[in-house]
Amino acid sequence: MTQPATAAQKDAPTSATKSAGEQPSSRRPGLPWDVRTLSLLGVLAALVAVGGITAPDEFLSTSNLQLVLTQASVIGVVTVGMTFVITSGGIDLSVGAMVALSSVWATTVATQEFGFAGILFTAVVVGVGCGLVNGLLIAYGRMVPFIATLAMLASARGLALQITDGSTQIVSVESVLDLGARDSYILGIPPLVLIFAAVTVIGWLLLNRTTFGRRAVAVGGNAEAARLAGIDVRRQRLYLYLLSGLCCGIAAFMLIVLAGSGQNTNGNLYELDAIAAAIIGGTLLSGGRGTIVGSVLGVLVFTTITNIFALNNLETAVQQIAKGAIIVAAVLVQRRSLQGDT
C-alpha cells in the first residue's frame, strides 16, 4: 500500500515542473532581454524621439526627465507588487485604495507627532495590513480575488474618506518634505527614483533567483500541480498579497513625499495603470509568467506618453484612448505568442 504512494509523491514534483516550470524558452520569466522586452525598449525609444521632436526644449530638459522618472517611481513600486500577484494567477483591484488609505492614515496629526519614522512606519503597516486582509480572504476564505480586492477597494476608499472628512492633510514634518526637495538629489537623481530602483532590483531577485519566485510562477501556472509538488498554495498566495500591500505602503510614503500631503483621492486608478503596465510588459494575465523588467518598461512607456501629451497640451481623452490601444495591442500580441507556443 505504501509503495504506490511513494511513487506518486516522486512523480508529483515532476508533474508540477512540466506544467509550470518547463515552458518554452520564450515564456520563461528568467529571460529579461527577450523579443518583448526589446520591443518595449524600441517603443520607449520611439516615444523619446517623438517627445524630443514635438517639444525639444521642454521634454529633453534635465528637470523634465527627472519629473518623468519621479512620477513613474510611485506607480512603478505598486506595479512590482502587482506583477507578483498576476504571475500567481491572481489580481488586486485595491492597490489604489490601499495607497490612499496608507497615505491619509500616515499623515494624521497624531501620526505626524512621531516624525519621519512614524509616517513611514504607519504607511507600511497599513499597506501590509490591507494586504493581509486580502490574502486571508483569498487564500483561506476561498474568495475570488476579483471580489475580495473589489471589497477592499470600496472599504479602503471609504475609510480614507472618513479619516480625512474630504479634506487634504498637509505634512508638517520637515525631514519628510526635505526628501522631495532638489537639494536631496544624489548625483542629480531624486531619492524616490532610487527607492524605485531598489524595489525593482529586489523584486527581480525575488522572482528570478529565489524559491519564493519559482513558487509564485508554479502556483500561477498550475495550482493543483504545485500543491502536489509540496507547495503550500494558500500560504504562498497570502505572502503574495502581503507583498502587494507592502509595495502599496512604500508607494504611499513616496506619494506623501512627492505631494507633501495625504488625501483620500490619492492612488486613483493606480490599479488599472499597474495591471496595464504589467500586461504590456509581458506578465501573463492568466498567471504562470511574470517579468519585473517588462513591467518597469511598461510603467515608463505610460508615464512618457502622459508627459508628452501634457507638454503638447493634448486632451486627456486622447491620452486615455492611446493607452487603451496599447493595452489591446499588447493583449493581442500576448495571445498570438501563446498560440505559437502550443
Side-chain angles (χ1 to χ4, degrees):
M1 296 295 292
T2 57
Q3 194 71 18
T6 304
Q9 290 173 352
K10 290 181 179 180
D11 290 341
T14 304
S15 175
T17 303
K18 287 181 179 180
S19 59
E22 293 181 4
Q23 303 170 351
S25 59
S26 62
R27 297 180 60 187
R28 290 175 184 168
L31 296 176
W33 302 113
D34 58 6
V35 175
R36 184 184 298 275
T37 303
L38 292 175
S39 299
L40 280 174
L41 285 173
V43 171
L44 187 59
L47 288 173
V48 171
V50 171
I53 294 173
T54 58
D57 296 333
E58 297 88 354
F59 181 79
L60 296 177
S61 65
T62 301
S63 59
N64 184 65
L65 294 178
Q66 290 172 337
L67 175 63
V68 170
L69 291 176
T70 302
Q71 291 176 338
S73 297
V74 180
I75 185 61
V77 170
V78 175
T79 303
V80 170
M82 182 69 79
T83 300
F84 278 90
V85 171
I86 297 178
T87 299
S88 69
I91 198 72
D92 192 345
L93 300 179
S94 64
V95 290
M98 288 194 291
V99 169
L101 180 58
S102 299
S103 69
V104 300
W105 207 322
T107 54
T108 59
V109 175
T111 303
Q112 292 193 50
E113 292 180 355
F114 293 94
F116 184 100
I119 293 177
L120 174 59
F121 177 79
T122 302
V124 171
V125 167
V126 172
V128 171
C130 291
L132 176 62
V133 173
N134 280 338
L136 289 175
L137 290 176
I138 294 167
Y140 295 94
R142 299 185 182 278
M143 289 186 66
V144 178
F146 181 90
I147 300 300
T149 57
L150 186 62
M152 176 58 71
L153 183 156
S155 301
R157 282 286 178 195
L159 185 54
L161 178 60
Q162 186 176 30
I163 292 175
T164 61
D165 197 23
S167 61
T168 300
Q169 298 177 162
I170 305 299
V171 176
S172 59
V173 180
E174 291 297 331
S175 56
V176 173
L177 299 176
D178 290 343
L179 195 61
R182 189 167 294 274
D183 294 339
S184 65
Y185 287 11
I186 301 174
L187 299 177
I189 303 175
L192 298 187
V193 177
L194 296 177
I195 295 175
F196 175 37
V199 171
T200 299
V201 171
I202 294 173
W204 187 88
L205 291 173
L206 274 177
L207 185 60
N208 296 282
R209 294 291 183 268
T210 67
T211 303
F212 178 83
R214 289 191 290 272
R215 287 176 177 173
V217 174
V219 170
N222 190 321
E224 179 61 19
R227 185 187 67 80
L228 293 174
I231 297 175
D232 190 331
V233 175
R234 292 188 297 178
R235 185 171 60 185
Q236 182 67 24
R237 284 174 174 161
L238 174 62
Y239 289 161
L240 289 166
Y241 281 95
L242 281 172
L243 179 60
S244 179
L246 173 62
C247 289
C248 288
I250 296 173
F253 177 76
M254 296 169 67
L255 197 57
I256 291 170
V257 172
L258 187 61
S261 63
Q263 47 189 321
N264 65 287
T265 56
N266 282 344
N268 188 35
L269 296 181
Y270 272 19
E271 55 276 359
L272 299 183
D273 288 342
I275 293 171
I279 290 174
I280 71 167
T283 299
L284 195 60
L285 189 57
S286 58
R289 182 181 69 191
T291 162
I292 298 295
V293 174
S295 296
V296 170
L297 289 175
V299 169
L300 292 175
V301 165
F302 279 139
T303 307
T304 304
I305 290 175
T306 301
N307 184 258
I308 292 174
F309 275 67
L311 291 178
N312 289 277
N313 297 317
L314 297 176
E315 295 181 2
T316 305
V318 181
Q319 172 187 324
Q320 298 300 329
I321 293 172
K323 285 185 176 181
I326 292 175
I327 295 171
V328 171
V331 172
L332 290 176
V333 170
Q334 190 177 85
R335 289 185 61 183
R336 185 171 181 178
S337 65
L338 289 177
Q339 291 173 356
D341 289 336
T342 57

